[in-house]
Amino acid sequence: MNYPYAKYGVIHQCKDIPVAFPPDQHQHGQPGIEYVMNPLPISENPNYVGTGKLKGKVAIITGGDSGIGRAVAIAFAKEGADLVIVYLNEHRDAQDTERRIRQLGRKCLLLPVDVRSPGFASYIVDSTLKAFGKIDILINNAGVQYFQTSLLDISEEQLRNTFEVNILSFILLTKAVLPHLRPGSSIVNTASVTAYLGNDTLMDYSSTKGAIVSFTRALARNLAPQCIRVNAVAPGPVWTPLNPASIPPERVAVFGRDVPLGRAAQPYELAPTYVLLASDDGSYITGTTIHINGGQMVTD
Ligand code: NAD
């Protein structure tokens, strides 16, 4: 099939799903902004009806303003959870997410905070406890990626920044949240298919995602006696602000076309897996990474 830019192929019963994207939408600097994207990512499956799987739970989602984090937040709200949305500075995206969560009848606390800053983790925990009095679920999801064709072009500054956001923040926030978790609590970390397949233009990023998988496995073993489960999700290409903000326009145009399903995922297609892992439906799943990557074959 030949899809010109911005023509949508109807592949899923939920909505038209774009398979090609206008290349003239490179965003300068990260995090990217969702509300300027063309087409807008699809965060919500209108056919998804919650059944109270997370009723009364409190979930922290880093990077929850947009992309995968926003879709997870909406699905969690439909399942009855109150949300703490951590993000860097994309206030309008965050407010859009907050509005939808409130429409769904759940509470939402927006926390703009740099996860590289000293004390960020205790600030998130203290704010959450003040607003909701408890923490049940932690979704470590914030991330950055910087396209570089040679290792020689990866500056020390970029390397440290990528590791600080993508893996150090996960460990530090988990450490701060842990004393407040109880049996039945769940931690889900967003990894990436690049942890398994590598990516020749995202070498530092792929390394952080491999570290997330290993952290997930180790922590899952450590916390199993406390009945706290730890899992990861490894997405393939997903249409989120991360990509127009980080990859060259010509790659944006064909983003996701090279996977067996022939298209990028929409964020809402990731959300049910996070519900599974965060809820009692996943009560016997820990230390696992679930691959949502359009059919790319990976070996653990
Ligand atoms: P996104 O741009 O919507 O989300 C990235 C989030 O990270 C933003 O909400 C941003 O606020 C947050 N963030 C970045 N730097 C931060 C900082 N210093 N302090 C606080 N927050 C910060 O994009 P997304 O694709 O939804 O990304 C979510 C996760 O999914 C990331 O971990 C990413 O690596 C992972 N992932 C994405 C894809 C994809 O194709 N989109 C594929 C595999 C994995």
Side-chain angles (χ1 to χ4, degrees):
M1 281 189 283
N2 180 27
Y3 292 98
Y5 298 141
K7 276 271 174 110
Y8 297 0
V10 181
I11 300 177
H12 192 277
Q13 78 280 11
C14 169
K15 227 171 177 180
D16 291 355
I17 295 188
V19 296
F21 307 102
D24 57 345
Q25 56 181 308
H26 185 70
Q27 299 186 23
H28 295 283
Q30 290 185 57
I33 302 294
E34 180 149 329
Y35 72 86
V36 300
M37 289 174 70
N38 175 26
L40 287 171
I42 307 172
S43 313
E44 180 177 353
N45 178 353
N47 298 326
Y48 184 102
V49 179
T51 54
K53 288 178 179 171
L54 301 175
K55 193 168 175 223
K57 304 280 188 192
V58 174
I60 299 173
I61 305 180
T62 67
D65 61 294
S66 60
I68 295 167
R70 172 188 283 183
V72 172
I74 291 171
F76 278 19
K78 286 186 174 181
E79 295 291 356
D82 292 325
L83 278 307
V84 177
I85 300 294
V86 179
Y87 64 102
L88 184 59
N89 55 16
E90 313 95 297
H91 303 297
R92 181 163 156 186
D93 283 346
Q95 285 157 9
D96 288 345
T97 303
E98 178 188 37
R99 191 175 313 112
R100 184 62 188 133
I101 290 167
R102 291 189 192 279
Q103 280 170 357
L104 291 165
R106 304 313 313 173
K107 295 182 184 135
C108 180
L109 174 67
L110 296 185
L111 285 184
V113 57
D114 190 332
V115 297
R116 298 165 297 184
S117 59
F120 84 93
S122 53
Y123 169 70
I124 292 170
V125 169
D126 292 349
S127 305
T128 303
L129 294 176
K130 192 168 167 209
F132 298 120
K134 64 171 187 161
I135 305 168
D136 300 294
I137 298 160
L138 172 62
I139 309 296
N140 284 308
N141 173 71
V144 291
Q145 63 180 27
Y146 300 95
F147 182 95
Q148 301 286 5
T149 53
S150 167
L151 186 64
L152 302 181
D153 295 329
I154 298 179
S155 66
E156 184 173 338
E157 185 188 6
Q158 176 188 317
L159 183 62
R160 291 187 185 282
N161 185 53
T162 305
F163 271 76
E164 269 197 70
V165 177
N166 291 15
I167 175 66
L168 295 190
S169 80
F170 284 31
I171 298 174
L172 290 170
L173 183 55
T174 304
K175 196 177 154 192
V177 164
L178 192 52
H180 306 281
L181 299 184
R182 287 160 298 179
S185 292
S186 172
I187 300 167
V188 185
N189 300 318
T190 303
S192 164
V193 68
T194 62
Y196 295 86
L197 298 182
N199 184 310
D200 60 338
T201 55
L202 295 172
M203 287 169 274
D204 51 349
Y205 174 85
S206 304
S207 305
T208 64
K209 295 301 182 178
I212 290 168
V213 172
S214 298
F215 173 55
T216 300
R217 289 175 172 155
L219 189 67
R221 283 183 178 277
N222 184 267
L223 296 182
Q226 298 175 48
C227 291
I228 297 171
R229 295 179 299 102
V230 189
N231 291 289
V233 174
V238 189
W239 184 236
T240 70
L242 185 67
N243 295 298
S246 62
I247 60 176
E250 64 277 11
R251 293 201 182 206
V252 169
V254 294
F255 181 63
R257 293 284 289 277
D258 55 348
V259 306
L261 284 180
R263 63 174 176 86
Q266 289 295 324
Y268 81 87
E269 295 179 287
L270 285 283
T273 299
Y274 287 80
V275 171
L276 166 70
L277 295 174
S279 71
D280 285 347
D281 281 1
S283 57
Y284 202 56
I285 307 175
T286 197
T288 289
T289 300
I290 295 186
H291 301 277
I292 311 177
N293 63 28
Q296 298 173 87
M297 301 301 163
V298 297
T299 47
D300 275 355

